[in-house]
Amino acid sequence: MTEPIRLGVVMDPIGHIKWAKDSTLAMLLAAAARGFHLTYFEQSHLTLRDGVAFGVGRNLTVRPDANDWFTLGEPHLERLGQLDAILMRKDPPFDTEYIYSTYILERAEMEGCLVVNRPQGLRDMNEKVYTAWFPQCCAPTLITRDMKDMEAFLALHGKIVCKPLDGMGGRSIFVLERHDKNMNVVFETLTDYGHRYAITQRYIPDIVKTGDSRVLLIDGEPVPYALARIPSDNDNRGNLAAGATGVGRPLNERDRWLAGQIGPELAAKGMMFVGLDVIGDYVTEINVTSPTGIRELDKQFGLNIGDLLMQAIERRLKARAERRA
């Protein structure tokens, strides 16, 4: 009899998640339905001893019950490299502690564990900067600490979006038009008077009507529907956390082209679950740390995106076993 796949998950405290919206829970429910054995970790539970990755884990049982969705077993020491796979689903901020966690997970990967997403990719692929690897998919973009360069970029394009490189959930996103009297203070705030890099992009007016769409990629292939996040009437931001409304829609031809440009390359680098942020014809961010949107699309279109990811993990593990045989 084949042993069940042993899947670890590193996540924020499971008791504090939003049951109806949490994408990690959707993944875990799909894994449980496939008979995976689940082990739960929080970031603080990971350790590295003499080059070996460990974690204080707890056996995890999950249920589709809004009032009682999980049970945890007793804590036990787990050698991470002996798990078949680990989901790294700790939410941002992407800070130094997050980076240290990826080092520990990379040691587990070196012992043979499949880490989703790959730790090196999590470190290398800043969600805003990494768009530079696919300029053919993006609107004009400038990453700089030079406030004069930012001013010239605004003068060239007339209307721009400015944001920090380490932001999330729509925080500190500014829209500026030429001659805006807030221009200098925005540039000063984002760059800390020229001491920090920030990103500016040409404003894409499609955000108003069609929103900021999340296109999910599973092992390089797009889910056939996107979650369009339509800004509220009094906000520019297409972020659910900032009050935008999530409306599902089928992928269009441009979405599929963008996914074809980016998906296979990221999959080859071990990034198995990725969220592209698409406004109009352009990718504005490539989300690799903890993409969301599963529950909304599952509900609107009768999908099981978590199960698609578990199938992809099974295929990767099978291919790895065959190469070793």
Side-chain angles (χ1 to χ4, degrees):
M1 182 176 178
T2 304
E3 292 292 323
I5 290 174
R6 300 184 66 212
L7 178 69
V9 59
V10 180
M11 61 184 292
D12 292 300
I14 192 169
H16 298 164
I17 65 174
K18 295 181 179 178
W19 179 87
K21 294 186 176 183
D22 193 83
S23 291
T24 303
L25 181 59
M27 297 175 184
L28 295 174
L29 289 168
R34 285 189 163 267
F36 290 18
H37 179 276
L38 305 178
T39 306
Y40 167 88
F41 305 92
E42 294 175 24
Q43 188 178 34
S44 61
H45 299 157
L46 307 182
T47 61
L48 193 60
R49 180 169 180 175
D50 299 327
V52 179
F54 292 95
V56 178
R58 302 176 73 176
N59 293 340
L60 172 65
T61 303
V62 291
R63 296 171 290 275
D65 185 336
N67 299 309
D68 180 26
W69 61 86
F70 72 99
T71 301
L72 291 173
E74 292 299 313
H76 63 276
L77 190 65
E78 187 87 49
R79 184 162 177 160
L80 299 182
Q82 293 180 348
L83 295 170
D84 296 304
I86 295 174
L87 298 174
M88 177 45 162
R89 292 288 301 176
K90 171 70 178 67
D91 284 343
F94 185 89
D95 54 14
T96 306
E97 291 301 305
Y98 192 103
I99 292 173
Y100 294 154
S101 298
T102 68
Y103 291 138
I104 296 173
L105 292 173
E106 187 164 354
R107 293 301 298 175
E109 180 185 55
M110 294 176 73
E111 281 196 68
C113 179
L114 175 66
V115 182
V116 181
N117 285 320
R118 192 177 184 189
Q120 181 180 348
L122 292 175
R123 292 194 300 272
D124 289 353
M125 298 179 188
N126 176 277
E127 305 189 334
K128 297 172 179 64
V129 178
Y130 205 68
T131 57
W133 271 247
F134 304 95
Q136 74 276 19
C137 300
C138 304
T141 300
L142 172 70
I143 297 172
T144 185
R145 304 197 311 187
D146 191 311
M147 292 182 283
K148 290 298 182 183
D149 283 352
M150 298 171 81
E151 184 177 352
F153 189 81
L154 174 56
L156 175 63
H157 294 291
K159 191 172 184 178
I160 62 175
V161 176
C162 312
K163 48 192 174 181
L165 294 179
D166 59 353
M168 58 169 286
R171 296 176 185 172
S172 301
I173 294 178
F174 298 91
V175 175
L176 291 175
E177 296 189 52
R178 190 182 289 118
H179 307 307
D180 191 316
K181 291 184 177 180
N182 290 309
M183 177 188 69
N184 288 329
V185 72
V186 168
F187 294 162
E188 291 164 2
T189 300
L190 288 178
T191 69
D192 189 21
Y193 294 88
H195 292 93
R196 271 202 312 261
Y197 282 101
I199 183 170
T200 62
Q201 297 167 318
R202 188 184 70 194
Y203 179 80
I204 305 168
D206 304 75
I207 183 75
V208 176
K209 290 186 177 181
T210 60
D212 183 342
S213 294
R214 169 62 53 83
V215 177
L216 295 175
L217 305 177
I218 296 177
D219 212 8
E221 293 296 324
V223 172
Y225 297 90
L227 184 67
R229 298 157 298 178
I230 312 296
S232 62
D233 292 338
N234 59 355
D235 206 313
N236 287 304
R237 297 171 295 176
N239 301 84
L240 298 180
T245 301
V247 179
R249 63 167 181 79
L251 297 189
N252 57 39
E253 184 177 344
R254 178 67 176 183
D255 296 327
R256 294 185 181 278
W257 183 83
L258 294 169
Q261 292 288 302
I262 297 172
E265 185 168 331
L266 266 62
K269 295 179 183 296
M271 314 312 283
M272 293 188 65
F273 189 69
V274 174
L276 305 181
D277 287 351
V278 178
I279 302 175
D281 289 338
Y282 303 104
V283 170
T284 60
E285 294 188 16
I286 299 174
N287 295 273
V288 299
T289 51
S290 187
T292 61
I294 287 180
R295 301 301 286 271
E296 293 87 351
L297 289 174
D298 280 356
K299 182 178 181 180
Q300 292 184 42
F301 298 104
L303 306 176
N304 191 340
I305 296 170
D307 189 64
L308 296 177
L309 178 60
M310 295 309 123
Q311 291 181 49
I313 288 172
E314 287 181 337
R315 289 193 296 270
R316 287 245 182 174
L317 292 174
K318 181 180 179 181
R320 179 178 291 184
E322 290 174 350
R323 288 194 298 270
R324 291 172 177 170

Coordinates of all heavy atoms in Angstrom, one line a residue, residues 41-74:
F41 N 3.2 24.1 10.9 CA 4.2 24.9 11.5 C 3.9 26.4 11.4 O 3.3 26.8 10.4 CB 5.6 24.7 10.8 CG 6.0 23.3 10.6 CD1 5.7 22.5 9.5 CD2 6.8 22.7 11.6 CE1 6.1 21.2 9.4 CE2 7.2 21.3 11.5 CZ 6.8 20.6 10.4
E42 N 4.4 27.1 12.3 CA 4.4 28.6 12.2 C 5.9 29.0 12.0 O 6.8 28.2 12.2 CB 3.8 29.3 13.4 CG 2.3 29.0 13.6 CD 1.8 29.6 14.8 OE1 2.4 30.6 15.4 OE2 0.7 29.1 15.3
Q43 N 6.1 30.2 11.5 CA 7.5 30.6 11.2 C 8.4 30.5 12.4 O 9.6 30.0 12.2 CB 7.4 32.1 10.7 CG 8.8 32.6 10.2 CD 8.6 34.0 9.7 OE1 7.9 34.8 10.2 NE2 9.3 34.3 8.6
S44 N 7.9 30.8 13.6 CA 8.8 30.7 14.8 C 9.1 29.3 15.2 O 10.0 29.1 16.0 CB 8.0 31.4 15.9 OG 6.8 30.7 16.2
H45 N 8.5 28.3 14.5 CA 8.7 26.9 14.9 C 9.9 26.3 14.1 O 10.3 25.1 14.4 CB 7.5 26.0 14.6 CG 6.3 26.5 15.4 ND1 5.0 26.2 15.0 CD2 6.2 27.2 16.6 CE1 4.1 26.7 15.9 NE2 4.8 27.3 16.9
L46 N 10.5 27.0 13.1 CA 11.5 26.5 12.3 C 12.9 26.7 12.9 O 13.1 27.8 13.5 CB 11.5 27.1 10.9 CG 10.1 27.1 10.2 CD1 10.3 27.7 8.8 CD2 9.6 25.7 10.1
T47 N 13.8 25.7 12.8 CA 15.1 25.9 13.4 C 16.1 25.2 12.4 O 15.8 24.4 11.6 CB 15.3 25.2 14.8 OG1 15.0 23.8 14.6 CG2 14.3 25.8 15.8
L48 N 17.4 25.6 12.6 CA 18.5 25.0 11.8 C 19.6 24.6 12.7 O 20.1 25.5 13.5 CB 19.0 26.1 10.8 CG 19.9 25.6 9.6 CD1 19.2 24.6 8.8 CD2 20.3 26.9 8.8
R49 N 19.9 23.4 12.8 CA 20.9 22.9 13.7 C 21.9 22.1 13.0 O 21.6 21.0 12.3 CB 20.2 22.0 14.8 CG 21.3 21.5 15.8 CD 20.6 20.8 17.0 NE 21.6 20.3 17.9 CZ 21.3 19.8 19.1 NH1 20.0 19.7 19.5 NH2 22.2 19.4 19.9
D50 N 23.2 22.5 13.0 CA 24.3 21.8 12.3 C 24.0 21.6 10.9 O 24.3 20.5 10.3 CB 24.6 20.5 13.0 CG 25.1 20.7 14.5 OD1 25.7 21.8 14.8 OD2 24.8 19.9 15.3
G51 N 23.3 22.6 10.3 CA 23.0 22.5 8.8 C 21.8 21.7 8.5 O 21.4 21.6 7.3
V52 N 21.0 21.2 9.5 CA 19.9 20.4 9.3 C 18.6 21.2 9.7 O 18.6 21.7 10.8 CB 19.9 19.0 10.1 CG1 18.6 18.2 9.8 CG2 21.1 18.2 9.7
A53 N 17.6 21.2 8.8 CA 16.4 21.9 9.1 C 15.4 21.1 9.9 O 15.1 20.0 9.5 CB 15.7 22.3 7.7
F54 N 14.9 21.7 11.0 CA 13.9 21.1 11.8 C 12.8 22.0 12.0 O 12.9 23.2 11.8 CB 14.5 20.7 13.2 CG 15.5 19.6 13.2 CD1 16.9 19.9 13.1 CD2 15.1 18.3 13.2 CE1 17.8 18.9 13.1 CE2 16.1 17.3 13.2 CZ 17.4 17.6 13.2
G55 N 11.7 21.5 12.5 CA 10.5 22.3 12.9 C 9.7 21.6 14.0 O 9.7 20.4 14.0
V56 N 9.2 22.4 14.9 CA 8.3 21.8 15.9 C 6.9 21.8 15.3 O 6.3 22.9 15.1 CB 8.3 22.7 17.2 CG1 7.3 22.1 18.2 CG2 9.7 22.7 17.8
G57 N 6.5 20.7 14.8 CA 5.3 20.5 14.1 C 4.1 20.0 14.9 O 4.4 19.4 16.0
R58 N 2.9 20.1 14.4 CA 1.8 19.5 15.0 C 0.9 18.9 13.9 O 0.7 19.5 12.8 CB 1.0 20.5 15.8 CG 1.8 21.2 16.8 CD 1.0 22.3 17.5 NE 0.0 21.8 18.4 CZ -0.7 22.5 19.2 NH1 -0.6 23.8 19.3 NH2 -1.6 22.0 20.0
N59 N 0.5 17.6 14.1 CA -0.4 17.0 13.1 C -1.6 17.8 13.0 O -2.2 18.3 14.0 CB -0.7 15.6 13.5 CG 0.5 14.6 13.5 OD1 1.5 14.9 12.8 ND2 0.4 13.5 14.2
L60 N -2.1 18.0 11.7 CA -3.2 18.9 11.4 C -4.3 18.2 10.8 O -4.1 17.4 9.8 CB -2.7 20.1 10.6 CG -3.7 21.0 10.0 CD1 -4.4 21.8 11.1 CD2 -3.1 22.0 9.0
T61 N -5.5 18.4 11.3 CA -6.7 17.9 10.6 C -7.6 19.1 10.3 O -7.8 20.0 11.1 CB -7.6 17.0 11.5 OG1 -6.7 15.9 11.9 CG2 -8.8 16.4 10.8
V62 N -8.1 19.2 9.0 CA -8.9 20.3 8.6 C -10.3 19.9 8.1 O -10.4 18.7 7.7 CB -8.2 21.2 7.5 CG1 -7.0 21.9 8.0 CG2 -7.9 20.3 6.3
R63 N -11.3 20.8 8.3 CA -12.6 20.4 7.9 C -13.3 21.7 7.3 O -13.0 22.8 7.7 CB -13.4 20.1 9.2 CG -13.0 18.8 9.9 CD -13.7 18.7 11.2 NE -13.2 19.7 12.2 CZ -12.2 19.5 13.0 NH1 -11.4 18.4 12.9 NH2 -11.8 20.5 13.8
P64 N -14.2 21.5 6.4 CA -15.0 22.6 5.8 C -16.1 23.1 6.7 O -17.3 23.1 6.3 CB -15.5 22.0 4.5 CG -15.7 20.6 4.8 CD -14.6 20.2 5.7
D65 N -15.7 23.6 7.8 CA -16.7 24.0 8.9 C -16.3 25.4 9.4 O -15.2 25.5 10.0 CB -16.7 23.0 10.0 CG -17.8 23.3 11.1 OD1 -18.2 24.4 11.2 OD2 -18.2 22.3 11.8
A66 N -17.1 26.4 9.1 CA -16.8 27.7 9.5 C -16.6 27.9 11.0 O -15.9 28.9 11.4 CB -17.9 28.7 9.0
N67 N -17.1 27.1 11.8 CA -17.0 27.2 13.2 C -16.0 26.3 13.9 O -15.6 26.5 15.0 CB -18.4 26.9 13.9 CG -19.5 27.9 13.4 OD1 -19.3 29.1 13.4 ND2 -20.6 27.4 12.9
D68 N -15.5 25.3 13.1 CA -14.6 24.4 13.7 C -13.8 23.7 12.5 O -14.0 22.6 12.1 CB -15.4 23.3 14.4 CG -14.5 22.2 15.1 OD1 -13.3 22.5 15.4 OD2 -14.9 21.1 15.2
W69 N -12.8 24.5 12.0 CA -12.1 24.1 10.8 C -10.8 23.4 11.0 O -10.2 23.0 10.0 CB -12.0 25.3 9.8 CG -11.1 26.4 10.3 CD1 -9.7 26.5 10.2 CD2 -11.5 27.6 11.0 NE1 -9.3 27.7 10.8 CE2 -10.4 28.4 11.2 CE3 -12.8 28.1 11.3 CZ2 -10.5 29.7 11.8 CZ3 -12.8 29.4 11.9 CH2 -11.7 30.1 12.2
F70 N -10.3 23.2 12.2 CA -9.1 22.5 12.3 C -8.9 21.9 13.7 O -9.6 22.3 14.7 CB -7.9 23.5 12.1 CG -7.7 24.5 13.2 CD1 -6.7 24.3 14.2 CD2 -8.5 25.6 13.3 CE1 -6.5 25.2 15.2 CE2 -8.3 26.5 14.4 CZ -7.3 26.3 15.3
T71 N -8.1 20.9 13.8 CA -7.6 20.3 15.0 C -6.1 20.1 14.9 O -5.6 19.6 13.9 CB -8.3 18.9 15.3 OG1 -9.7 19.1 15.3 CG2 -7.8 18.3 16.6
L72 N -5.4 20.4 16.0 CA -4.0 20.3 16.0 C -3.6 19.2 17.1 O -4.2 19.1 18.1 CB -3.3 21.6 16.4 CG -3.3 22.7 15.4 CD1 -2.7 24.0 16.0 CD2 -2.6 22.3 14.1
G73 N -2.6 18.4 16.7 CA -2.1 17.4 17.6 C -1.0 18.0 18.5 O -0.8 19.2 18.5
E74 N -0.4 17.1 19.3 CA 0.7 17.6 20.2 C 1.9 18.0 19.4 O 2.3 17.4 18.4 CB 1.0 16.5 21.2 CG -0.1 16.2 22.2 CD -0.5 17.4 23.0 OE1 0.5 18.0 23.5 OE2 -1.7 17.7 23.1

